Amino acid sequence: MAPYLSPYHPIPGGPFADPLHGSFRSSIRREHTADAARRARDLLTDDVLGRLLTTPREAVDQVPHARDVFVNRNLRMDHIELIGFDMDYTLAIYHMRRLEQLSFDMTLAKLISEYGYPPFVGGLIYDHHFVMRGLAVDRVNGNVLKMDRFGHVGRAYHGLRPLKRDAWKELYRNKRVRLRNPQFAWNDTLFALPETCLYSGIIELMESLGHTVNYGKLYDDIREAIDTVHRDNSLKREIRKDLARYVFLDPELGPALHKLRSGGKRLFLLTNSAWDYTNAVMRYLLDGQLPEYPSWRNYFDFVVTAAGKPAFFTENRPFLELDSSTEAGKVVGEAKSLERGTVYSGGNLAQFEDFTGYRGEHILYVGDHIYGDILKSKKSSLWRTCMIVQEIEDEITYTDAHREEIVTLSEVELTRARLDDEVNHRKTVLNALERRLEREALSEPERQEAEELRKKAKAELEKLRRSLKETNGIAVTLERDVEEGFNPYWGLLFKEGNENSRFGYQVEQYACLYTSRVSNFLHHSPMQYFRSPRDLMAHEQAGALSSKLSPMGSEGPPKGSVEKE
């Protein structure tokens, strides 16, 4: 073997003749491969098959892109036998602004009346722009943060103002925010949006008036107050007074559930809401939508209320049978089975699988909460998951409307990368010419020629540098306009800088599917094979042909379900 590595040949041990690591294929294996290649050619050139695959299907209504079902992990619906649904923000899509305002007002009133906050905070105004899912609260420093998928903070606010750059760099620039640290609180539900706005608003107001704020206590007080508003049913009592004001009525929800049942699926409801509220909302959503289902309960084989998720997925609480003939839903006794037409509360995952006879990957659960509905079910079971992210309709509709600006930004970004590479290359060329002029003994003609080349290279380098600076300015302006056009404080929901946001990352990690509403399943077959593109490594994106081996993803475990050592 040569004592040095040739720049023109593969590293020893690579896939060339007589590799060091060995390779062997029998003649039988080669014959099978050759036969498969012949059959592939026949299949790919079959005229009749080609016609069947290229003939347009019967015309169907075009589904808006914002109503698609998006796939992180391949899922065969023909393998799914039982589909479960959360209710709040899943089957029941709330009017976010109205419900957030109601929750904000009720929590603020409780802070003043029961927690001793000064009456002047009652003048705070709810700003729905200042909140989105996926923000974190720094309980020690009183800041609200948005992070990328690596846990690096891209944006931070103290009160309602951007955190000063020096403070941002000192606290977060060279650190990863680890949400397991009790210093940070992760707000990942739509119900939690008002508390983030309250937290920042109270800090802004009180500090502007010279008051000292205990940031940790403030957050804990708001959290407890807003939990109380939900727990004592005062919020839900207000919603029930005018369901049409707070809950959207989706005319496609009943047909979507009917289509799934017609495809042989059994359906169940698994919600944290109590029986009285569940019954009122579900009657509003589904009663009378289709003649085949005189009551909403006819859609579901199993109904479980007050499930206590995420404890449902991790603890061993019993199922309790309820008397559903009354609004109170009194407990009849501990359930020994789950029966169609009966309503239950509590329960646990293991017993649910035993009682229903369905297990693991034959169950699809649809919910809106990363932690309570998606993450915990992934960590505790093999249930397949679909996340409802109603905000995605707004984000896709917005970006589609700004297509021209985004395309221009993309072209500018690619040009910026090329300019940066070219500047670095021209610096190297110019440095080489200057070293030659300084160090080599050149004849006068050679020196004149080298000097001309140096001047030309320097002029070209200056042109490239000016263009790079100009391109940087253009890119920053266009990106800021796109981001702030969607949300003036936080930008796009699923992005932070050039990366996925922490929220987007968690959707990708834990949800097999995600979509904006349950009724989007109406536009797909109950036997649909939802396929995701395969993840490509950087060398495959750069052109390595291993990327062509299988363009589609797998049905293996989702990324986030694998515990890190």
Side-chain angles (χ1 to χ4, degrees), residues 371-384:
Y371 185 79
D373 295 333
I374 305 297
L375 188 154
K376 277 297 179 181
S377 68
K378 276 301 174 201
K379 295 284 189 181
S380 310
S381 75
L382 293 176
W383 287 14
R384 305 305 299 272

Side-chain angles (χ1 to χ4, degrees), residues 70-329:
F70 303 99
V71 190
N72 290 323
R73 176 192 175 203
N74 287 8
L75 189 149
R76 296 176 182 267
M77 287 295 288
D78 60 341
H79 290 181
I80 298 296
E81 300 174 284
L82 182 64
I83 304 177
F85 300 91
D86 183 31
M87 183 181 76
D88 298 307
Y89 280 114
T90 298
L91 292 172
I93 298 297
Y94 289 97
H95 191 298
M96 291 173 58
R97 304 298 174 236
R98 293 172 182 170
L99 185 57
E100 289 162 21
Q101 184 71 59
L102 177 63
S103 178
F104 181 90
D105 292 342
M106 294 182 72
T107 305
L108 190 55
K110 190 172 287 289
L111 287 172
I112 296 170
S113 63
E114 298 181 21
Y115 290 80
Y117 281 80
F120 63 76
V121 302
L124 285 173
I125 297 174
Y126 182 70
D127 180 4
H128 68 265
H129 290 296
F130 190 73
V131 287
M132 64 164 44
R133 270 202 279 194
L135 303 179
V137 172
D138 181 343
R139 300 170 65 257
V140 172
N141 296 293
N143 301 324
V144 179
L145 320 172
K146 186 183 179 196
M147 297 171 290
D148 69 13
R149 65 190 180 101
F150 298 111
H152 293 297
V153 175
R155 304 171 203 232
Y157 279 78
H158 184 82
L160 300 176
R161 306 179 193 191
L163 190 63
K164 291 181 179 179
R165 186 164 185 81
D166 289 345
W168 173 75
K169 289 178 69 175
E170 174 66 24
L171 290 171
Y172 311 116
R173 185 64 186 94
N174 297 314
K175 300 176 184 177
R176 282 185 63 186
V177 172
R178 299 188 180 277
L179 294 176
R180 291 181 182 179
N181 185 335
Q183 173 181 343
F184 301 101
W186 171 240
N187 290 339
D188 59 346
T189 70
L190 292 173
F191 276 131
L193 297 184
E195 70 188 55
T196 305
C197 190
L198 263 175
Y199 185 73
S200 293
I202 290 175
I203 290 174
E204 178 75 20
L205 178 59
M206 294 188 71
E207 290 189 340
S208 69
L209 296 174
H211 294 268
T212 299
V213 180
N214 182 326
Y215 303 126
K217 183 178 185 302
L218 172 62
Y219 181 80
D220 292 342
D221 287 347
I222 293 173
R223 182 95 282 283
E224 186 177 332
I226 205 166
D227 275 350
T228 303
V229 166
H230 287 284
R231 195 167 48 244
D232 66 8
N233 284 327
S234 57
L235 178 72
K236 290 180 176 179
R237 278 197 298 271
E238 290 301 314
I239 296 172
R240 286 185 63 179
K241 290 177 183 177
D242 192 355
L243 285 171
R245 174 174 174 77
Y246 295 107
V247 184
F248 287 110
L249 192 60
D250 186 346
E252 293 182 337
L253 179 60
L257 297 177
H258 172 66
K259 188 172 185 177
L260 291 171
R261 290 190 62 84
S262 298
K265 316 300 181 189
R266 301 185 77 183
L267 308 183
F268 69 97
L269 179 69
L270 181 68
T271 175
N272 282 356
S273 288
W275 161 246
D276 58 340
Y277 183 73
T278 299
N279 187 41
V281 172
M282 294 303 294
R283 286 175 60 188
Y284 171 74
L285 289 174
L286 288 172
D287 278 11
Q289 273 213 1
L290 295 175
E292 301 95 316
Y293 303 89
S295 164
W296 70 267
R297 292 171 62 181
N298 298 126
Y299 288 91
F300 299 97
D301 296 276
F302 312 108
V303 175
V304 181
T305 63
K309 298 171 293 180
F312 178 91
F313 295 109
T314 57
E315 298 180 8
N316 195 33
R317 300 179 309 154
F319 282 97
L320 301 176
E321 183 180 335
L322 303 182
D323 178 5
S324 60
S325 64
T326 64
E327 182 170 302

